């Protein structure tokens, strides 16, 4: 006789679902996508469309014209602005796996400025878009384009913000515990 594994209860009474408590197809898709059920996705599994949406956005981010380093600069910038401890840890783990330079990762975790002018322009534009909720000035757009980015990439920044709003807000609601693979990269906002 197998004992059912109860879902983990988190902040505000939400649950981190597992294979026994969530829609089987959703859990199967999550496991296929990540090789595990990260706590973020276990929480999103409460609403299968939200979990599927997050995975679709993750896939689409990999299809943007940004380099892996640029993608991580985007994610780190948005995660730090929203003070998402879970995503900062998870993205540190992923950035290391993708070979992102340690100095880039460390700058992001310290919420610092990049010495590389193009990465700094990306960070500044992503931050402006996030802070101003898209109501940026023409000078913000001009600076981004002058740094060597394209108009296409402006909308890819919007995609990155959409992706991270879904996860950052979910993690705030869930008070998501950091998964064991990401635990070595636990992060706390310098503003905390």
């Amino acid at each position: 006789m197998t004992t059912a594994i109860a879902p983990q209860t988190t902040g505000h009474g939400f649950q981190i679902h597992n294979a026994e408590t969530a829609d089987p197809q959703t859990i199967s898709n999550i496991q296929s996508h990540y090789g595990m059920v990260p706590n973020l996705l276990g929480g999103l599994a409460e609403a299968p469309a939200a979990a599927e949406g997050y995975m679709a956005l993750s896939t689409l981010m990999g299809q943007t014209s940004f380099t892996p380093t640029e993608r991580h600069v985007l994610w780190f910038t948005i995660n730090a602005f929203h003070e998402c401890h879970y995503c900062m840890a998870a993205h540190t783990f992923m950035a290391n796996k993708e070979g992102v330079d340690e100095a880039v990762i460390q700058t992001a975790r310290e919420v610092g400025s990049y010495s590389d002018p193009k990465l700094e322009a990306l960070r500044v534009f992503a931050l402006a878009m996030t802070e101003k909720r898209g109501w940026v000035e023409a000078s913000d757009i001009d600076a981004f384009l002058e740094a060597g980015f394209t108009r296409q990439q402006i909308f890819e920044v919007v995609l990155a913000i959409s992706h991270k709003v879904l996860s950052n807000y979910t993690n705030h609601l869930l008070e998501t515990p950091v998964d064991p693979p990401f635990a070595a990269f636990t992060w706390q906002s310098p503003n905390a």
Side-chain angles (χ1 to χ4, degrees):
M1 180 173 177
T2 305
T3 304
I5 301 171
Q8 180 179 357
T9 301
T10 68
H12 305 290
F14 290 106
Q15 296 180 333
I16 306 292
H17 290 279
N18 57 49
E20 297 182 18
T21 64
D23 172 66
Q25 185 61 55
T26 300
I27 291 295
S28 174
N29 292 346
I30 293 168
Q31 287 175 325
S32 294
H33 196 93
Y34 296 100
M36 61 182 274
V37 179
N39 287 335
L40 164 64
L41 274 295
L44 280 172
E46 181 79 28
E52 294 291 341
Y54 182 81
M55 289 184 289
L57 290 172
S58 296
T59 298
L60 291 170
M61 280 302 301
Q63 297 171 11
T64 66
S65 59
F66 291 115
T67 67
T69 295
E70 291 167 345
R71 271 197 316 276
H72 283 286
V73 166
L74 277 170
W75 286 326
F76 280 131
T77 300
I78 301 160
N79 292 335
F81 177 79
H82 290 138
E83 298 183 353
C84 185
H85 76 286
Y86 181 91
C87 285
M88 286 297 282
H91 281 284
T92 301
F93 173 85
M94 292 187 307
N96 276 300
K97 276 186 72 170
E98 290 186 40
V100 173
D101 186 274
E102 184 58 36
V104 170
I105 296 169
Q106 201 54 41
T107 298
R109 290 176 60 85
E110 293 169 0
V111 193
S113 300
Y114 293 101
S115 58
D116 179 298
K118 190 169 184 184
L119 291 182
E120 181 60 8
L122 178 59
R123 183 193 72 81
V124 168
F125 185 71
L127 187 58
M129 285 290 292
T130 306
E131 284 179 328
K132 298 175 184 179
R133 297 181 307 249
W135 297 102
V136 294
E137 305 293 330
S139 59
D140 296 318
I141 294 169
D142 291 344
F144 184 69
L145 297 174
E146 287 166 11
F149 292 104
T150 65
R151 292 187 177 276
Q152 171 184 326
Q153 289 173 315
I154 291 170
F155 294 103
E156 292 174 347
V157 169
V158 175
L159 176 65
I161 293 167
S162 303
H163 182 224
K164 291 292 84 192
V165 163
L166 180 54
S167 62
N168 294 166
Y169 288 16
T170 296
N171 287 319
H172 293 334
L173 285 168
L174 291 173
E175 299 174 3
T176 313
V178 174
D179 299 279
F182 315 146
F185 307 109
T186 299
W187 178 84
Q188 184 172 346
S189 169
N191 301 324

